């Protein structure tokens, strides 16, 4: 984000004025004092705060929206700033309410000394020379009777307000009213001309859909000064904001400065300073290395310093400053030494192509196939879980096992593989991959010599199989995130706890490949049993409170554990004990799963929730996942997408993915596929009326501009869209035919994120229900043909069942027939092709053996050899895998994949049910260039299609030919899961005829 190129500096003011947050470039500060006094004559409509947003030539911009200007003489504001060694400034101005003056996109270029900006013209000198300074700005008193209205915005939790009013006998202002100027802290003010009236009605709002209208009665306000606070109107009041005295008090000195190196990146954090008014920001100074002295500014209490020199000592200090420019003394220094430069990100190339042409096989890598038992690890819960008794370590499958069984996946007919997260995890039971700790490193428990992640990607691509990587932006594990922030917890190696806490060894860090052997002579047999399987954790605990500790009552006894061990405050990370800094991690538990807190609080005690609205966190995650894009993965499945505000996705993460994929891979990068898990476990079109927590909501761009500050923008967006409600959301016919005609979809409002079809998933207990519910929602997705569709997963079965699907083989066949021919991308959870673990509880943590769950090890069923001659075609197989491949559902899914691959309408077509009888029947068409594919489909029963084009139709299942002359075709099918796909012969697009061999369900 922190580019310092000349072109970036020239554009930054214009970009900011457009509502974009721009990263700050490092600024080397010279010791010389070089001031610029800027006089600005704002437009008459700017009656409140005026900010100056500036950058010394060659330096960094102030944080948006800039620094407030003080009154000068009548009509003028001024601000004196330190330009360091620069010869001048670039500057733009704003009214603190989203309106900017950036010289029509060119920014203002100002010299040193006294300079003026008025009406777009830059001048020099002091326009107020000989003129007494004006008082605190207030709107020019209107003629006639006036009402001086002061509204307490802080009571409502607002930062600004509009007043919507009606003078007695007059008309209401247009909604939302007129903006009030900022008063002192917590207050907003507006002087209203009442004309001949003596009273008015008024209501207030925050510009984002939240209103205070006195519980529907409106407020009655008269002439003179009136205050409105907490619903109480006080006429004839004194103005609550006396003129402010100059601010001459500096903020307190920052404490607790810490710097942690991870390769050539350094994460720096400190405790917040205090100020008699407010801390505006911090100046972080770095010394050391060939870069010399560099100063960086930030509004938060952390910074991620990157692209440093390897194996070099750096020292940091930080100062706090306020809006008046008062600056604290420097903090106590913190030093760290960078490590070795990481190897360049390995490079691969994605396959490219429309993702709708694929079908997806989803595996939990650690549970699928074991290619190398040297990397198997059971962890600290190996015995307790019962896995040890089954010789079934939690980390059992690996990339080598996947590489060995790619022909099995291809032989089933799948051309895309969705794998669980690959980043290095750190938790007690983390085989699933969702407890990421080092997002820049692949978990070594998945890799082997000759079978790295890159090897998997390259080998899969060589077979024509895409890799969709599961990624997590919402949270890290309980132990933080390496290279961003890892908390130090309280620990003591006494007789009760020394089995838990590793002896601290300087320079040693977490390595899950090295587990405690359980044979430490310093431990008792019982303690060795508790310690066995644990990885080194001496890097995350301390008996003495670390510098800058914010966790209250550090080490104070607080109850006992179930084993009778003494527990202590700050011993376990949690959002509310301040072990995590508030700017990097959220500080609350989710209370309302359809409320705003679901996007800004912790899901679970073991999932430390990132503050994704913080630029340091954003850059950490963007840089991390760019490395996997570089490796050539074909797409991301985004975990817990609903727990990050849509506006943050649309502003930060999705553009970063799209831009990097395009820059790295060109045309193939355009096809990078992103699909999010927006979990909504209801049967409604909209999740309990909360549009912000509904899957289709995330497929759209924002519809209005919000505050440049991401935290405020998230709240504004939530309020705006909740007020609009389901009826106020956009609709589209991108997934629907117009009659029998395909039309080019309009993706101009597409966010960049597709989604898992949670509504169909919830209703797949019965295929008819899934079909009906799915099509009912399709007008509210940007394009439902890109939805990922599955029956069950590693989390839930239909209707939020906690067991793997157990509806029976016929029901599975019917579900598959629907998924493979209806709109969306069909996806199958590993083993479902043989009803693996049907009815088993999907997950029970370490309280039961994995072998008894829906996450059981699958490798026994694919032992032996298999060679795929093409997708859906197996040329040879030996051993247990041959038996697996002979199962009825395997034959069914193989043939469905063959049919779908041969008929473009089934992959990418829009659909319609117009003029069709039949419970699950539809027509689909896809037209692009020379391709024109039209198909009539019925599932598990007969159907009649009327009003269809005349011509010759051939069924892809039976080869039956029907010639339509009157626009009507009747397709006859019997048997659950059976299918008819009548394809129209068209010029240059002949019907393929019968595809594959007759099977148990397709006959």
């Amino acid at each position: 984000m922190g580019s310092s190129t000349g072109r970036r500096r020239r554009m930054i003011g214009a970009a900011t004025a457009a509502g974009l947050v721009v990263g700050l470039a490092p600024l080397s500060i010279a010791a010389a004092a070089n001031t610029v006094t800027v006089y600005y004559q704002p437009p008459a409509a700017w009656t409140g705060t005026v900010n100056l947003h500036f950058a010394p030539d060659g330096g960094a911009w102030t944080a948006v929206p800039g620094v407030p200007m003080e009154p000068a003489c009548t009509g003028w504001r001024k601000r004196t700033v330190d330009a360091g060694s620069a010869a001048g400034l670039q500057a733009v101005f704003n009214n603190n309410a989203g309106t900017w003056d950036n010289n029509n996109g060119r920014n203002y270029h100002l010299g040193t000394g006294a300079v003026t900006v008025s009406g777009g013209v830059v001048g020099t000198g002091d326009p107020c020379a000989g003129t007494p300074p004006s008082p605190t700005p207030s709107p020019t008193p209107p003629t006639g009777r006036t009402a001086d209205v002061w509204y307490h915005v802080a009571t409502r939790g607002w930062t600004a307000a509009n007043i919507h009013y009606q003078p007695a006998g007059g008309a209401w202002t247009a909604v939302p009213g007129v903006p009030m100027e900022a008063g002192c802290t917590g207050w907003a003010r507006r002087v209203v001309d009442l004309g001949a009236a003596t009273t008015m009605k008024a209501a207030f709002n925050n510009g984002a859909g939240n209103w205070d209208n006195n519980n529907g009665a409106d407020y009655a306000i008269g002439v003179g000064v009136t205050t409105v606070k907490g619903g109480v109107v006080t006429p004839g009041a004194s103005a609550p904001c006396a003129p402010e005295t100059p601010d001459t008090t500096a903020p307190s000195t920052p404490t607790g400065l810490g710097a942690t190196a991870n390769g050539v990146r350094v994460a720096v954090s400190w405790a917040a300073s205090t100020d008699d008014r407010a801390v505006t920001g911090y100046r972080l100074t770095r010394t050391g290395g060939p870069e010399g002295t560099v100063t960086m500014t930030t509004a938060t209490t952390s910074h991620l310093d990157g692209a440093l020199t390897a194996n070099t000592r750096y020292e940091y200090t930080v100062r706090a400053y306020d809006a008046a420019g008062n600056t604290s003394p420097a903090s106590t220094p913190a030093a760290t030494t960078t490590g070795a430069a990481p190897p360049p990100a390995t490079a691969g190339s994605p396959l490219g192509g429309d993702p709708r042409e694929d079908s997806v096989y989803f595996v939990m890598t650690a549970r699928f196939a074991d290619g190398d038992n040297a990397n198997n690890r059971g962890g600290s819960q190996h015995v307790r879980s019962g896995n040890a008794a089954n010789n079934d370590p939690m980390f059992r499958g690996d990339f080598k096992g996947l590489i060995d069984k790619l022909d099995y996946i291809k032989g089933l007919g799948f051309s895309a593989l969705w794998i669980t997260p690959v980043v290095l995890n750190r938790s007690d039971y983390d085989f699933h991959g969702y407890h990421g700790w080092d997002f820049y490193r692949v978990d070594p428990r998945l890799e082997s010599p000759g079978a790295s992640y890159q090897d998997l990607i390259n080998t899969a691509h060589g077979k024509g199989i895409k890799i969709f990587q599961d990624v997590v932006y919402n949270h890290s594990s309980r132990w933080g995130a390496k290279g961003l922030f890892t908390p130090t917890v309280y620990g003591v190696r006494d007789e009760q706890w020394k089995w838990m806490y590793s002896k601290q060894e300087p320079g040693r860090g977490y390595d899950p490949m090295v587990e405690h052997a359980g044979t430490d002579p310093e431990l008792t047999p019982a303690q060795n049993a508790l310690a066995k399987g644990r990885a080194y954790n001496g890097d995350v605990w301390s008996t003495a409170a670390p510098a800058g500790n914010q966790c209250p009552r550090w080490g104070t006894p607080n109850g006992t554990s179930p084993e009778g061990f003494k527990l202590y405050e700050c011993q376990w990370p949690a959002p509310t004990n301040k072990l995590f800094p508030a700017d990097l991690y959220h500080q609350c538990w989710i209370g309302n799963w359809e409320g705003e807190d679901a996007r800004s609080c912790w899901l679970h005690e073991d999932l430390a929730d990132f503050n994704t609205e913080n630029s340091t966190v954003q850059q950490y995650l963007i840089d991390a996942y760019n490395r996997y894009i570089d490796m050539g993965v074909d797409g991301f499945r985004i975990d817990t997408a609903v727990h990050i505000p849509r506006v943050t996705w649309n502003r930060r993460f999705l553009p970063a993915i799209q831009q990097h994929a395009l820059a790295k891979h060109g045309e193939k990068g355009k096809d990078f596929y992103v699909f999010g898990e927006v979990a909504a476990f209801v049967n409604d079109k909209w999740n309990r009326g909360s549009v912000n927590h509904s899957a289709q909501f995330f497929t759209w761009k924002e519809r209005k501009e919000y505050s440049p500050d991401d935290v405020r923008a998230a709240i504004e967006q939530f309020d705006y869209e909740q007020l609009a409600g389901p009826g106020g959301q956009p609709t589209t016919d991108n997934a629907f035919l117009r009659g029998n005609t395909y039309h080019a979809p309009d993706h101009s409002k597409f966010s960049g994120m597709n989604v898992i079809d949670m509504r169909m998933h919830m209703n797949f207990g019965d295929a008819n229900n899934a079909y009906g519910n799915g099509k009912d929602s399709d007008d509210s997705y940007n394009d439902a043909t890109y939805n990922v569709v599955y029956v069950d997963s590693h989390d839930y079965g239909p209707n939020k069942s906690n067991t793997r699907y157990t509806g029976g083989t016929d029901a599975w066949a019917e579900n598959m027939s629907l998924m493979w021919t209806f709109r969306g991308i069909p996806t199958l959870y590993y083993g479902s092709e043989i009803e693996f673990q049907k009815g088993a509880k999907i997950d029970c943590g370490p309280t039961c053996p994995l072998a008894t769950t829906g996450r059981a090890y699958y490798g026994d069923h694919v032992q032996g050899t298999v060679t795929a001659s093409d997708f859906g075609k197996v040329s040879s197989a030996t051993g247990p895998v041959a038996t697996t491949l002979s199962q009825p559902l395997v034959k069914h899914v193989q043939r469905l994949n063959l049919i779908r691959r041969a008929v473009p309408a089934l992959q990418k077509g829009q659909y319609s049910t117009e003029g069709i009888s039949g419970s699950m029947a539809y027509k689909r068409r896809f037209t692009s260039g020379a391709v024109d594919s039209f198909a009539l489909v019925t599932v598990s029963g007969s159907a009649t299609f009327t009003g269809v084009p005349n011509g010759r139709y051939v069924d892809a299942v039976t080869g039956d030919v029907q010639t339509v002359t009157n626009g009507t075709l009747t397709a006859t099918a019997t048997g659950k899961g059976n299918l008819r796909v009548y394809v129209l012969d068209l010029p240059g697009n002949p019907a393929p005829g019968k595809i594959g061999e007759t099977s148990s369900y397709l006959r």
Side-chain angles (χ1 to χ4, degrees):
M1 291 179 67
S3 171
S4 59
T5 64
R7 182 174 182 271
R8 174 68 174 271
R9 289 196 296 268
R10 288 194 296 273
M11 295 179 65
I12 193 167
T16 303
L20 303 176
V21 173
V22 183
L24 300 178
L27 170 61
S28 297
I29 302 298
N34 189 24
T35 62
V36 181
T37 300
V38 182
Y39 292 88
Y40 179 65
Q41 190 170 48
W46 290 17
T47 58
T49 300
V50 175
N51 295 317
L52 167 65
H53 179 47
F54 69 92
D57 291 343
W61 285 84
T62 55
V64 172
V67 294
M69 305 186 75
E70 63 189 72
C73 50
T74 301
W76 288 89
R77 304 292 180 91
K78 74 174 182 178
R79 179 78 189 208
T80 300
V81 299
D82 182 0
S85 61
L89 309 174
Q90 292 187 71
V92 296
F93 305 88
N94 66 82
N95 69 345
N96 207 44
T99 302
W100 291 76
D101 173 8
N102 65 355
N103 196 20
N104 294 316
R106 297 186 298 273
N107 302 340
Y108 290 101
H109 295 262
L110 312 178
T112 55
V115 296
T116 62
V117 179
S118 176
V121 178
V122 177
T124 59
D126 180 356
C128 299
T131 305
S134 67
T136 302
S138 179
T140 303
T143 59
R145 296 184 177 92
T146 61
D148 189 355
V149 185
W150 294 80
Y151 182 74
H152 196 248
V153 291
T155 300
R156 305 282 298 186
W158 300 349
T159 56
N162 299 315
I163 180 171
H164 178 48
Y165 65 88
Q166 178 194 38
W172 283 92
T173 55
V175 174
V178 294
M180 305 182 77
E181 67 177 276
C184 52
T185 302
W187 287 92
R189 179 193 187 196
R190 182 80 187 195
V191 179
V192 176
D193 181 4
L194 295 177
T198 58
T199 62
M200 70 176 184
K201 292 181 178 179
F204 305 89
N205 65 82
N206 69 345
N210 290 330
W211 285 79
D212 174 7
N213 62 359
N214 195 21
N215 295 317
D218 298 325
Y219 290 102
I221 296 175
V223 296
V225 177
T226 301
T227 61
V228 181
K229 180 178 181 181
V232 176
V233 177
T234 305
S238 299
C241 296
E244 291 190 6
T245 58
D247 182 3
T248 59
T249 303
S252 65
T253 303
T255 60
L257 179 66
T260 304
N262 182 24
V264 293
R265 301 162 64 90
V266 173
V268 189
S269 62
W270 55 92
S273 294
T274 58
D275 188 60
D276 62 333
R277 300 194 183 181
V279 174
T280 301
Y282 299 88
R283 293 189 181 95
L284 182 69
T285 300
R286 181 187 75 218
T287 57
E291 300 87 358
T293 300
V294 176
T295 298
M296 300 149 278
T297 59
T298 177
T300 66
T301 58
S302 64
H303 182 73
L304 193 61
D305 205 6
L308 300 175
T309 304
N311 303 310
T312 301
R313 185 183 185 276
Y314 290 93
E315 185 173 280
Y316 295 84
T317 57
V318 63
R319 300 171 183 262
Y321 61 89
D322 60 21
N326 301 305
T327 304
S328 75
S331 67
T332 301
T336 188
T337 300
T338 55
T346 48
S349 178
L351 290 175
D354 194 317
R356 296 173 298 175
E357 296 172 3
D358 300 302
S359 58
V360 182
Y361 193 71
F362 170 36
V363 304
M364 299 192 79
T365 307
R367 306 303 301 158
F368 184 68
D370 188 7
D372 176 12
N373 60 21
N375 58 14
N376 293 357
R377 291 295 183 274
S380 63
Q381 305 299 309
H382 189 49
V383 173
R384 178 193 169 200
S385 63
N387 291 338
N390 296 304
N391 192 26
D392 184 24
M394 60 168 184
F395 266 90
R396 187 173 178 184
D398 47 37
F399 294 145
K400 188 174 189 307
L402 267 178
I403 290 171
D404 291 345
K405 301 306 173 186
L406 286 173
D407 267 32
Y408 171 75
I409 294 164
K410 184 171 183 176
L412 292 176
F414 293 95
S415 55
L417 179 61
W418 160 15
I419 59 173
T420 41
V422 305
V423 304
L424 176 58
N425 271 226
R426 184 168 188 171
S427 186
D428 288 338
Y429 211 56
D430 52 10
F431 64 94
H432 41 69
Y434 299 98
H435 286 145
W437 179 66
D438 189 345
F439 287 70
Y440 288 76
R441 182 183 175 193
V442 174
D443 201 303
R445 292 168 289 187
L446 299 175
E447 295 193 302
S448 309
S452 67
Y453 187 32
Q454 189 69 64
D455 292 325
L456 169 64
I457 295 168
N458 295 346
T459 307
H461 286 173
K463 294 181 180 293
I465 298 174
K466 295 178 180 178
I467 298 292
F468 294 153
Q469 178 180 327
D470 211 324
V471 294
V472 184
Y473 286 75
N474 177 67
H475 57 263
S476 67
S477 78
R478 72 182 342 162
W479 299 113
K482 185 178 181 184
L484 179 69
F485 179 82
T486 299
T488 298
V489 300
Y490 174 80
V492 56
R493 294 196 85 241
D494 60 14
E495 287 307 308
Q496 290 188 334
W497 287 109
K498 63 183 179 182
W499 59 270
M500 167 71 79
Y501 298 109
S502 307
K503 281 185 178 179
Q504 292 169 327
E505 302 175 37
R508 184 177 177 185
Y510 171 70
D511 182 354
M513 294 295 289
V514 181
E515 295 184 342
H516 194 288
T519 57
D520 187 342
E522 292 187 7
L523 302 181
T524 68
Q527 289 172 335
N528 266 307
L530 290 168
K532 185 177 174 60
R534 296 185 179 276
Y536 176 78
N537 69 357
D539 56 329
V540 294
W541 70 270
S542 171
T543 301
N549 169 61
Q550 297 294 303
C551 185
R553 300 178 300 280
W554 176 271
T556 303
N558 180 23
T560 57
S561 72
E563 300 86 354
F565 300 159
K566 184 182 294 183
L567 297 175
Y568 301 90
E569 297 283 357
C570 312
Q571 191 173 13
W572 308 110
T576 54
N577 63 13
K578 298 185 179 180
L579 279 167
F580 291 93
D583 60 329
L584 301 181
Y585 287 86
H586 289 134
Q587 305 286 296
C588 52
W589 298 106
I590 292 177
N592 178 4
W593 289 83
E594 278 75 46
E596 197 286 323
D597 58 334
R599 311 181 314 161
S600 57
C601 297
W602 285 36
L603 290 166
H604 187 268
E605 65 179 9
D606 206 27
L607 303 176
D609 200 83
F610 286 131
N611 179 3
T612 49
E613 287 63 68
N614 175 279
S615 60
T616 299
V617 174
Q618 291 166 358
Q619 201 60 47
Y620 175 85
L621 293 168
I622 288 168
D623 290 347
Y625 287 126
N626 280 350
R627 295 178 66 83
Y628 302 104
I629 295 174
D630 292 345
M631 294 175 74
V633 298
D634 303 273
F636 286 161
R637 180 266 187 183
I638 297 179
D639 180 71
T640 51
V642 70
H643 297 295
I644 294 175
R646 185 182 76 176
V647 68
T648 305
W649 284 118
N650 286 348
R651 280 184 173 182
R652 309 296 170 216
F653 297 131
L654 294 173
I657 292 170
Q658 295 155 358
Q659 292 162 14
H660 192 75
L662 181 62
K664 186 69 177 180
H665 302 298
E667 287 300 308
K668 289 183 177 181
K670 289 182 179 179
D671 296 324
F672 194 90
Y673 181 55
V674 176
F675 60 106
E677 178 206 26
V678 184
F681 300 108
V682 296
N683 291 320
D684 305 330
K685 180 174 182 177
W686 296 96
N687 184 6
R688 297 184 179 90
S690 177
V691 296
N692 283 280
H693 296 88
S694 301
Q696 57 269 46
F697 180 77
F698 282 76
T699 65
W700 296 95
K701 288 181 177 178
E702 300 309 321
R703 297 187 288 161
K704 68 186 298 290
E705 291 293 328
Y706 300 106
S707 167
D709 176 73
D710 283 1
V711 175
R712 287 183 59 186
I715 301 295
E716 291 168 1
Q717 180 241 33
F718 183 90
D719 290 341
Y720 175 79
E721 296 292 2
Q722 289 298 91
L723 184 66
Q729 299 306 308
T731 59
T732 180
D733 68 347
N734 280 345
F736 305 120
L737 294 174
R738 295 174 180 171
N740 294 313
T741 303
Y742 179 89
H743 62 94
D746 177 9
H747 293 151
S748 63
K749 298 177 182 178
F750 175 51
S751 67
M753 183 188 293
N754 300 287
V755 290
I756 295 167
D757 196 318
M758 295 300 294
R759 195 171 178 198
M760 288 194 74
H761 162 56
M762 280 294 295
N763 286 279
F764 257 120
D766 176 80
N768 262 297
N769 281 341
Y771 170 62
N773 278 275
K775 64 182 181 179
D776 179 55
S777 297
D778 284 354
D779 66 342
S780 59
Y781 295 100
N782 182 266
D783 190 342
T785 66
Y786 286 87
N787 287 7
V788 166
V789 182
Y790 60 58
V791 173
D792 65 353
S793 73
H794 57 326
D795 288 325
Y796 292 104
N799 298 310
K800 206 178 180 181
S801 166
N802 62 5
T803 62
R804 286 196 71 159
Y805 185 70
T806 185
T809 310
D810 291 354
W812 252 123
E814 183 177 54
N815 288 342
M816 290 178 181
S817 291
L818 176 64
M819 287 194 294
W820 262 255
T821 57
F822 188 46
R823 63 51 174 172
I825 301 171
T827 300
L828 199 69
Y829 182 39
Y830 79 97
S832 295
E833 64 272 22
I834 60 169
E835 297 178 88
F836 179 62
Q837 296 296 97
K838 62 181 180 181
K841 190 172 184 177
I842 292 173
D843 175 35
C844 59
T847 65
C848 72
L850 279 167
T852 65
T853 73
R855 299 173 173 184
Y857 177 67
Y858 190 61
D860 296 338
H861 296 275
V862 289
Q863 284 185 357
T865 64
V866 58
T867 301
S869 57
D870 203 346
F871 292 100
K873 298 180 180 179
V874 174
S875 58
S876 65
T878 64
V881 70
T883 302
T884 296
L885 289 166
S886 69
Q887 300 303 304
L889 276 181
V890 170
K891 298 297 184 184
H892 188 59
V893 76
Q894 285 176 312
R895 194 169 184 210
L896 286 171
N897 271 318
L898 290 172
I899 292 171
R900 190 174 186 274
R901 290 179 67 85
V903 183
L906 301 184
Q907 304 165 11
K908 299 171 284 190
Q910 295 164 341
Y911 76 94
S912 172
T913 58
E914 181 183 1
I916 302 172
S917 68
S919 60
M920 285 187 286
Y922 33 89
K923 52 188 175 183
R924 299 192 67 188
R925 190 169 203 158
F926 175 74
T927 306
S928 179
V931 175
D932 189 6
S933 176
F934 184 77
L936 308 176
V937 181
T938 182
V939 179
S940 295
S942 300
T944 297
F945 301 83
T946 61
V948 300
N950 291 333
R952 180 176 181 269
Y953 290 79
V954 184
D955 178 25
V957 177
T958 64
D960 179 57
V961 176
Q962 291 200 37
T963 301
V964 174
T965 58
N966 61 354
T968 300
L969 183 149
T970 297
T972 303
T974 59
K976 198 166 188 175
N978 201 3
L979 183 68
R980 294 291 178 264
V981 182
Y982 280 92
V983 182
L984 176 62
D985 259 329
L986 289 166
N989 294 273
K994 181 179 179 180
I995 301 170
E997 301 297 324
T998 300
S999 57
S1000 299
Y1001 293 101
L1002 298 180
R1003 56 188 189 276

